Amino acid sequence: MTAVAELMDYAEVVERFDPVLGLEVHVELSTNTKMFCGCLNEFGGEPNTKTCPTCLGLPGSLPVVNGKAVEGAIRIGLALNCEIAEWCRFARKNYFYPDMPKNFQTSQYDEPIAFNGYLDVTLDDGEVVRVEIERAHMEEDTGKSLHIGGATGRIHGAEHSLLDYNRAGVPLIEIVTKPIEGTGARAPEVARAYVTALRDLLRALDVSDVRMDQGSLRCDANVSLMAKDATEFGTRTETKNVNSLRSVERAVRYEMTRQAAILAGGGSIRQETRHFQEADGTTSSGRAKETAEDYRYFPEPDLVPIAPSREWVEELRATLPEMPGERRKRIQDEWKLSDEALRDLLNVGAVDLVAATVESGATPDEARGWWVNTLAQEANAREVELADLPITPAQVAEVIALVSSGELTNKLAKEVAQGVLAGEGSPREVVEKRGLKVVSDDSALLTAVDEALAAQPDIADKIRGGKVAAAGAIVGAVMKATKGQADAKRVRELVIERVGS
Ligand code: ADP
Ligand code: MG
Ligand code: ZN
């Protein structure tokens, strides 16, 4: 067992050192088929059912590039403000690993399809940090190993391993930043914000389902520290496959405190890969880092070079959607949101849902109220993403419309939403089934008002004597009698009318 690492207090770390970050993000493209063969590109399924001689690396099989994947790569490059190569090739990255049946990964090396870009990232307080992109290149995913019999699921201690090649050959784009300097104490936050912004961008491009939990978006975080007076970068570690946004932030922060303690004690950092432990937020040593030479890269002889015409690139540029950053600015303007309101909206991940609800006829304020408050609480309680709640923006708009038309009170509307969430049907169906309509028929209300007044003659006297506030007790009694299905404002009017006459 390795000893527990010494850590330096975070405040001291950032006082004595400047962190440098490098983020490598792998994104699986959601093309119909794999990168170099016609096998289905789908998550999961019976092991080894989505394979063929090409993605299994059998002798004599030949790869063919998936045009849709190249298109996706170019669109990602353009969205990241990159230059697009006029001509580039694939390269073989040679190493042995059981989940990689060809014994090499078809990747790109010194000729990436996209390079020299940037992504502007907004931090929680609104500060914008520009993260420069070194390159975005095409490659293929590996298969998956399942290690059986050990306590950790890792190969160490396992009795045997199973291999599933369904994922082998799935199109991947690797997006690599230039070293990110000057973020100081905010480095962990910048790392998280960058991956968040990248995820949102990829989602807007509709090129991937960007599920960190399913591995379709994966982040490796490189971290090094420089003493305040240093002129060169320190040695970096690369923490692999950090699989949630929160973990990205935690992993960077942990590495900073771990490396600082070593450096301050006169030690040196080993260039290595590390694994992030979700449970306690620590990282542990992986393998010593190979250098590029170790991989014996060479141009892939079985694939033609990729030479996207400038016309095609411009056509693809024209398909780019509004970028999330611009969209946020526009929405803030159009919906007249304070920075704080916008942040709340972003934090609960409700922008698209509110926009869709507005599209279905609700006002931005009403739609926001429902998603950011009522429904966000519901999602929290159920521990699901807001978007995964079993209610659609159109249904939320319908509930809102029922309130506006006076058919439902706010309280009843919440009940209707509960019914929809419980799978009882559309808002109207829930209203019918649960009998939730507001009693808007004045004669029915008047009967209830008269009964309440008769039951509490002293209060009726008070109101008559000018104490209008006392009407509240009667209104309350009527609401109770109608099981909350009356419009309280109307009831109040009727009470005053009745007592006055
Ligand atoms: P590797 O092949 O080791 O994964 P890459 O070039 O793909 O290397 O990615 C390395 C990442 O680390 C890049 O984002 C790069 O900008 C960044 N990087 C390079 N040197 C340092 C350093 N000293 N400290 C932190 N990050 C670094
Ligand atoms: Mg890399
Ligand atoms: Zn195949």
Side-chain angles (χ1 to χ4, degrees), residues 418-470:
Q418 286 299 339
V420 176
L421 288 167
E424 293 167 27
S426 73
R428 281 209 174 275
E429 285 165 353
V430 175
V431 168
E432 293 303 323
K433 279 188 205 155
R434 292 198 183 188
L436 290 177
K437 260 214 169 89
V438 166
V439 181
S440 53
D441 171 2
D442 274 359
S443 69
L445 285 182
L446 274 175
T447 311
V449 167
D450 287 342
E451 279 169 11
L453 285 170
Q456 304 187 71
D458 47 328
I459 300 211
D461 285 343
K462 274 191 193 160
I463 303 171
R464 214 166 278 124
K467 276 203 164 176
V468 182

Side-chain angles (χ1 to χ4, degrees), residues 5 16-17 22 28 125 134 141 145 153 237 242 258 275 313 343 359 373 446 475:
R16 297 176 57 175
F17 299 95
E28 283 181 352
D125 68 353
E134 184 180 296
D141 214 342
S145 311
T237 61
V242 190
R258 188 190 67 87
H275 299 289
V313 171
R343 204 176 315 142
E359 215 144 88
N373 304 321
L446 274 175
V475 175

Side-chain angles (χ1 to χ4, degrees), residues 137-160:
H137 71 244
M138 299 180 284
E139 57 185 38
E140 58 179 336
D141 214 342
T142 58
K144 271 186 188 169
S145 311
L146 194 60
H147 305 296
I148 310 293
T152 60
R154 293 249 167 87
I155 194 164
H156 306 281
E159 281 161 11
H160 63 275

Side-chain angles (χ1 to χ4, degrees), residues 252-270:
V252 169
R253 191 183 168 101
Y254 180 83
E255 268 305 283
M256 287 169 65
T257 56
R258 188 190 67 87
Q259 292 182 15
I262 294 173
L263 293 171
S268 56
I269 305 301
R270 192 167 90 111

Side-chain angles (χ1 to χ4, degrees), residues 124-453:
D124 284 347
D125 68 353
E127 189 189 325
V128 176
V129 175
R130 174 160 294 186
V131 174
E132 294 194 273
I133 307 293
E134 184 180 296
R135 63 178 196 271
H137 71 244
M138 299 180 284
E139 57 185 38
E140 58 179 336
D141 214 342
T142 58
K144 271 186 188 169
S145 311
L146 194 60
H147 305 296
I148 310 293
T152 60
R154 293 249 167 87
I155 194 164
H156 306 281
E159 281 161 11
H160 63 275
S161 298
L162 298 172
L163 286 159
D164 176 7
Y165 293 111
N166 282 351
R167 200 181 66 176
V170 164
L172 273 189
I173 306 298
E174 179 174 346
I175 300 157
V176 184
T177 68
K178 293 182 180 168
I180 307 167
E181 299 173 67
T183 57
R186 302 192 81 173
E189 187 190 344
V190 169
R192 174 176 47 78
Y194 167 76
V195 181
T196 308
L198 188 55
R199 182 198 60 179
D200 294 348
L201 181 86
L202 294 165
R203 190 178 280 154
L205 287 170
D206 199 19
V207 288
S208 167
D209 52 13
V210 288
R211 296 274 303 259
M212 288 189 94
D213 57 331
Q214 291 188 352
S216 55
L217 184 77
R218 313 197 280 270
C219 175
D220 302 336
N222 293 266
V223 179
S224 69
L225 294 180
M226 291 169 84
K228 286 283 176 182
D229 54 0
T231 52
E232 278 176 21
F233 289 167
T235 303
R236 66 185 159 106
T237 61
E238 179 182 349
T239 303
K240 302 294 268 182
N241 291 347
V242 190
N243 59 12
S244 75
L245 295 169
R246 182 166 163 263
S247 298
V248 172
E249 181 163 359
R250 289 169 85 203
V252 169
R253 191 183 168 101
Y254 180 83
E255 268 305 283
M256 287 169 65
T257 56
R258 188 190 67 87
Q259 292 182 15
I262 294 173
L263 293 171
S268 56
I269 305 301
R270 192 167 90 111
Q271 181 159 346
E272 62 183 358
T273 63
R274 299 185 66 85
H275 299 289
F276 182 67
Q277 266 81 238
E278 201 70 52
D280 59 2
T282 65
T283 66
S284 62
S285 183
R287 57 185 154 82
K289 185 72 186 165
E290 298 81 2
T291 60
E293 293 79 66
D294 296 329
Y295 288 118
R296 293 291 181 271
Y297 280 101
F298 64 86
E300 168 59 60
D302 286 342
L303 288 166
V304 292
I306 307 286
S309 74
R310 295 304 95 177
E311 291 73 33
W312 189 35
V313 171
E314 289 318 307
E315 267 169 40
L316 293 178
R317 195 191 300 279
T319 70
L320 296 184
E322 184 181 27
M323 293 300 143
E326 298 163 16
R327 176 158 182 257
R328 275 200 290 277
K329 266 184 233 133
R330 178 176 58 76
I331 277 178
Q332 182 170 19
D333 263 24
E334 281 180 7
W335 296 352
K336 300 187 177 53
L337 303 181
S338 64
D339 288 349
E340 202 186 10
L342 179 67
R343 204 176 315 142
D344 289 346
L345 198 60
L346 293 171
N347 280 344
V348 297
V351 178
D352 289 340
L353 296 163
V354 173
T357 309
V358 170
E359 215 144 88
S360 298
T363 68
D365 279 348
E366 288 165 338
R368 226 157 37 81
W370 273 89
W371 287 106
V372 175
N373 304 321
T374 316
L375 294 168
Q377 277 166 22
E378 195 64 39
N380 237 344
R382 296 173 179 227
E383 294 183 6
V384 297
E385 294 288 318
L386 198 51
D388 293 336
L389 280 179
I391 187 166
T392 64
Q395 289 171 330
V396 173
E398 193 181 331
V399 174
I400 291 171
L402 288 169
V403 176
S404 308
S405 68
E407 283 171 76
L408 292 179
T409 59
N410 281 322
K411 184 161 164 277
L412 288 178
K414 285 194 176 144
E415 252 190 274
V416 172
Q418 286 299 339
V420 176
L421 288 167
E424 293 167 27
S426 73
R428 281 209 174 275
E429 285 165 353
V430 175
V431 168
E432 293 303 323
K433 279 188 205 155
R434 292 198 183 188
L436 290 177
K437 260 214 169 89
V438 166
V439 181
S440 53
D441 171 2
D442 274 359
S443 69
L445 285 182
L446 274 175
T447 311
V449 167
D450 287 342
E451 279 169 11
L453 285 170

Side-chain angles (χ1 to χ4, degrees), residues 55-57 97-104 142-143 165 168:
C55 56
L56 290 176
Y97 207 77
D99 63 14
M100 202 181 59
K102 296 185 299 187
N103 259 355
F104 61 84
T142 58
Y165 293 111

